Amino acid sequence: MSYTDILICIFGLFCSSYISRILPLAVLGRRPLPTFLSLWLKYVPTAVFGALIFVSIFGDAHSGFRFSWTNVEFLAAIPVLLVAAKTRNLAYSIIVGLAAYWLLNQYM
Amino acid sequence: MGEYFNKQVFKAVWPICFGYIPLGVACGILGEKVGLDAFLMAMMSIFLFAGSGQFIALAMIGAGTAIIPIVITVGIVNLRHMLYGLILNQHISKESLLYRMIYAQEIVDETFAVNSIEFQKRDSEWNPKKAAGLNFLAHMSWMLATVAGVLLGSAVYIDTGLVSYALIAMFIGLWSFHFKSAKLIGIGVLGGGLALLLSLWLDNMLNVVVATVVAAIVGAAIDNGEGVEKK
């Protein structure tokens, strides 16, 4: 991507992200959302992170799935998941992830 | 200024700034690898301001994806900010439109989590001005950390695998914030499984977008309404 393309891309990213941010604050006011929509929104974060995590760890059909016990991305995710579930702390999760990934790469 | 920046604000914001250092630096290093300079990185951090969104956008730029799929994917990933806005509304809906337009840009997982906790504390005297001060400090520290990452990335060699693992660890950390019920966890696993399955037919992260939409519909359908976010 050229310099200008990246600038255009950043502008597009601003637009597609600002819509979700401004709608409830400036447009919807305090009117409640339709029930099904608010329930759907409640499940979007967990679904999106689940999808991103699985794809990052196990790959995809194009680059080839990585379902194996020697998959370092998968093995390192186990301690991260335990620490994240216990502490709910982003910084600890990242530090443990980097340490586990680095260590596993030294020995596998 | 004391109304926006004071001891209480600093006390509430420092864990966010502290967490942003490794994350922002990793994001900047990735940015440098895919061709962003310090100016572009600062623009992205000011106008997009979304940790996971920026990582995804940079990874897609690096993979040579076209602009439209990048914009759509990040838009879907950031849909969750709408939920945060709906919950924050009760505390800031009386503020001016300008205030709310600026506040909107500052909604991310971390500022939402800390501000909503502070607003809910009965004796904390948290108010919209302190929230704005916290948002500003968090946003600035994120921007500075990402720019520092670009400068660091151009000066020393850093393993790309390690940087991209910071992203995976962050996704897991962000996912864990939603471990509030078996259904919430189950829908995350369903989203993951669907994304893998759909990758047989869809690419450019479209599998992630479709898996998210479908898994969240299943979640809404099986939710008995007990867990609707309290307003």
Side-chain angles (χ1 to χ4, degrees):
Chain A
M1 237 184 239
S2 74
Y3 204 87
T4 322
D5 283 347
I6 294 177
L7 266 179
I8 295 168
C9 188
I10 290 172
F11 178 73
L13 289 165
F14 166 73
C15 296
S16 71
S17 299
Y18 195 65
I19 292 173
S20 310
R21 288 169 160 156
I22 194 65
L23 265 178
L25 296 190
V27 183
L28 300 174
R30 300 188 68 172
R31 263 177 298 166
L33 280 184
T35 315
F36 195 83
L37 187 60
S38 66
L39 283 176
W40 182 73
L41 278 173
K42 177 184 156 190
Y43 285 94
V44 164
T46 183
V48 82
F49 290 123
L52 287 169
I53 293 163
F54 275 52
V55 167
S56 320
I57 290 176
F58 298 113
D60 60 40
H62 297 273
S63 57
F65 288 119
R66 296 189 297 269
F67 298 121
S68 106
W69 289 108
T70 54
N71 176 348
V72 173
E73 275 87 0
F74 167 67
L75 293 177
I78 298 168
V80 181
L81 192 61
L82 294 174
V83 169
K86 183 117 183 88
T87 66
R88 310 281 165 97
N89 182 309
L90 222 45
Y92 291 157
S93 308
I94 293 166
I95 292 165
V96 168
L98 291 177
Y101 183 80
W102 184 80
L103 276 173
L104 284 163
N105 268 313
Q106 303 302 305
Y107 297 105
M108 290 187 71
Chain B
M1 290 302 269
E3 287 173 304
Y4 293 90
F5 306 107
N6 55 44
K7 214 174 145 189
Q8 195 187 5
V9 173
F10 294 132
K11 210 180 147 200
V13 81
W14 85 261
I16 301 181
C17 301
F18 182 72
Y20 275 174
I21 296 171
L23 207 59
V25 168
C27 186
I29 291 170
L30 183 63
E32 197 269 337
K33 285 203 191 302
V34 304
L36 274 74
D37 62 8
F39 172 76
L40 285 176
M41 196 70 237
M43 286 294 111
M44 188 184 239
S45 294
I46 290 168
F47 289 103
L48 178 51
F49 187 31
S52 46
Q54 281 179 231
F55 270 102
I56 294 164
L58 291 170
M60 290 178 84
I61 290 172
T65 313
I67 292 176
I68 301 287
I70 300 177
V71 168
I72 294 173
T73 304
V74 174
I76 295 279
V77 171
N78 287 344
L79 257 181
R80 66 187 188 285
H81 296 146
M82 194 184 286
L83 183 72
Y84 301 162
L86 289 167
I87 295 163
L88 285 165
N89 235 341
Q90 57 186 321
H91 304 292
I92 61 167
S93 61
K94 292 194 184 79
E95 301 302 308
S96 71
L97 181 62
L98 180 66
Y99 176 93
R100 283 176 285 141
M101 284 172 71
I102 295 170
Y103 197 108
Q105 179 63 11
E106 310 291 29
I107 296 175
V108 288
D109 300 289
E110 296 81 11
T111 60
F112 164 72
V114 174
N115 275 320
S116 59
I117 289 166
E118 291 294 334
F119 272 125
Q120 277 161 14
K121 281 186 194 162
R122 197 167 279 188
D123 53 348
S124 84
E125 293 163 358
W126 198 249
N127 59 42
K129 283 187 173 153
K130 289 175 188 170
L134 178 141
N135 289 345
F136 177 81
L137 293 172
H139 198 163
M140 281 308 107
S141 55
W142 170 255
M143 197 223 16
L144 292 174
T146 56
V147 170
V150 171
L151 302 176
L152 191 69
S154 56
V156 292
Y157 171 78
I158 292 148
D159 182 8
T160 337
L162 211 55
V163 177
S164 47
Y165 209 77
L167 173 65
I168 299 179
M170 181 180 66
F171 288 153
I172 296 173
L174 289 170
W175 188 34
S176 75
F177 294 166
H178 303 281
F179 291 175
K180 292 172 193 157
S181 72
K183 280 178 187 168
L184 277 164
I185 299 172
I187 293 301
V189 175
L190 177 67
L194 277 176
L196 291 180
L197 183 66
L198 287 167
S199 75
L200 291 168
W201 305 282
L202 302 168
D203 57 1
N204 277 337
M205 300 288 266
L206 257 173
N207 54 328
V208 168
V209 171
V210 176
T212 300
V213 171
V214 173
I217 289 174
V218 174
I222 62 168
D223 193 288
N224 47 23
E226 279 170 25
V228 182
E229 298 282 344
K230 293 277 182 297
K231 287 218 181 174

